[in-house]
């Protein structure tokens, strides 16, 4: 099985722009979570989607949004970028129901730099 | 709210020796999962070991084992026969059986000296 795939791997934006990141989960995984990783704040939960519905949301401003499609692929969007949005954005998928282990399977991340 | 604390920002171990990474957590729930994840310099987080709270037996995966003390809310990771490839950031994580977000500690950077 292919792992979690995130695109793009690296991107550079300027303040005020917006960005869209994409995530394809492991086949059969319907839950997709997004995390922001920075040296100062560590790993912070953004949101989680299951069957196209946002099921959980972290404490981030409304500039951060996401969605999930019927094939479980997910996108997250950050509008009006700020310097502090520079981070590694990690996507993770998990299996629910039969065979559930609670484990998150992570992608390699998208490194966003805001200038 | 559930919190996870890793009190050791950095640890160092000699190759072939044993090292223990500490983790404590705070929760009022009785059923949950605990994990140790490894993030090598290439960045991809991979699972090292997991523990289900209802299981009293400590999990073991080859050279990796945990000491799970539910009453003390402690979940330490022991790495035996350390190898150069074990060098990475290690994150302790908590996931409720009901809530879907995973809570992470701040991480411990492990250096393995040859």
């Amino acid at each position: 099985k292919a792992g979690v795939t995130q695109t793009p791997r690296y991107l550079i934006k300027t303040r005020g722009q917006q960005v869209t990141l994409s995530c394809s989960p492991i086949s059969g995984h319907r839950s997709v979570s997004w995390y922001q990783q920075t040296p100062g704040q560590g790993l912070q939960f953004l949101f989680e989607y299951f069957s196209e519905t946002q099921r959980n949301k972290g404490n981030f401003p409304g500039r951060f949004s996401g969605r999930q499609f019927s094939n479980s692929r997910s996108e997250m969007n950050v509008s009006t970028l700020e310097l502090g949005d520079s981070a590694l954005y990690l996507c993770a998928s998990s299996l629910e129901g039969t065979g559930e282990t609670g484990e998150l399977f992570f992608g390699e991340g998208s490194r966003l730099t805001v200038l | 709210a559930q919190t996870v604390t890793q009190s050791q920002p950095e640890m160092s171990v000699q190759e072939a020796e044993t090292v223990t990474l500490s983790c404590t957590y705070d929760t009022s729930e009785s059923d949950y999962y605990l994990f140790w994840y490894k993030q090598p310099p290439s960045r991809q987080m991979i699972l090292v070991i997991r523990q289900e709270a209802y299981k009293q037996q400590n999990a073991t995966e080859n050279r990796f084992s945990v000491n799970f003390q539910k009453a003390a809310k402690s979940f330490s990771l022991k790495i035996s026969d350390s190898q150069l490839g074990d060098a990475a950031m290690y994150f302790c994580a908590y996931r409720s059986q009901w809530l879907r977000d995973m809570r992470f500690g701040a991480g411990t950077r492990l250096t393995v000296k040859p």
Side-chain angles (χ1 to χ4, degrees), chain A residues 37 88 90, chain B residues 37-41 43-45 88-91:
Chain A
Q37 186 177 22
L88 180 66
L90 293 171
Chain B
Y37 278 89
K38 171 184 177 181
Q39 189 178 39
R43 303 180 323 194
Q44 187 163 23
M45 298 263 285
M89 280 289 286
Y90 286 81
F91 293 95

Side-chain angles (χ1 to χ4, degrees), chain A residues 40-59:
Chain A
Q41 299 297 319
L43 282 149
Q44 292 188 288
F45 172 71
L46 282 156
F47 27 65
E48 185 238 352
Y49 288 87
F50 183 83
S51 291
E52 301 180 67
T53 300
Q54 187 181 88
R55 196 161 59 173
N56 254 319
K57 188 178 190 302
N59 189 27

Side-chain angles (χ1 to χ4, degrees), chain A residues 73-101:
Chain A
R73 190 178 70 85
S74 177
E75 290 181 347
M76 67 163 284
N77 183 276
V78 188
S79 62
T80 319
L81 284 166
E82 300 177 359
L83 295 179
D85 297 333
S86 295
L88 180 66
Y89 290 88
L90 293 171
C91 171
S93 71
S94 65
L95 178 67
E96 294 194 10
T98 304
E100 174 180 311
T101 64

Side-chain angles (χ1 to χ4, degrees), chain A residues 9-10 31 33 35 37 43 45 48 55-56 88 90 94 96 100-104 106-109 111, chain B residues 33 35 37 39 42-47 50 52 89 91 95 97-106:
Chain A
R9 292 286 308 280
Y10 303 90
S31 170
S33 301
Y35 288 81
Q37 186 177 22
L43 282 149
F45 172 71
E48 185 238 352
R55 196 161 59 173
N56 254 319
L88 180 66
L90 293 171
S94 65
E96 294 194 10
E100 174 180 311
T101 64
E103 178 184 355
L104 291 182
F106 286 87
E108 292 185 290
R111 169 73 65 185
Chain B
Y33 301 100
F35 306 87
Y37 278 89
Q39 189 178 39
S42 63
R43 303 180 323 194
Q44 187 163 23
M45 298 263 285
I46 56 175
L47 180 70
R50 62 185 285 273
E52 295 173 11
M89 280 289 286
F91 293 95
R95 195 178 192 195
Q97 183 181 14
W98 308 114
L99 300 178
R100 296 302 175 180
D101 62 307
M102 186 175 284
R103 306 293 174 96
F104 290 87

Side-chain angles (χ1 to χ4, degrees), chain B residues 6 10 17 30 39 42 67 72 75-76 84-85 89 100 112:
Chain B
Q6 292 180 250
E10 296 184 355
E17 297 295 310
S30 58
Q39 189 178 39
S42 63
N67 184 2
F75 184 62
S76 62
L84 295 177
M89 280 289 286
R100 296 302 175 180
V112 181

Side-chain angles (χ1 to χ4, degrees), chain A residues 11-31:
Chain A
L11 64 167
I12 301 173
K13 295 285 187 179
T14 57
R15 280 183 298 175
Q17 287 187 312
Q18 73 166 14
V19 66
T20 299
L21 309 178
S22 180
C23 173
S24 294
I26 292 172
S27 177
H29 289 193
R30 291 189 294 164
S31 170

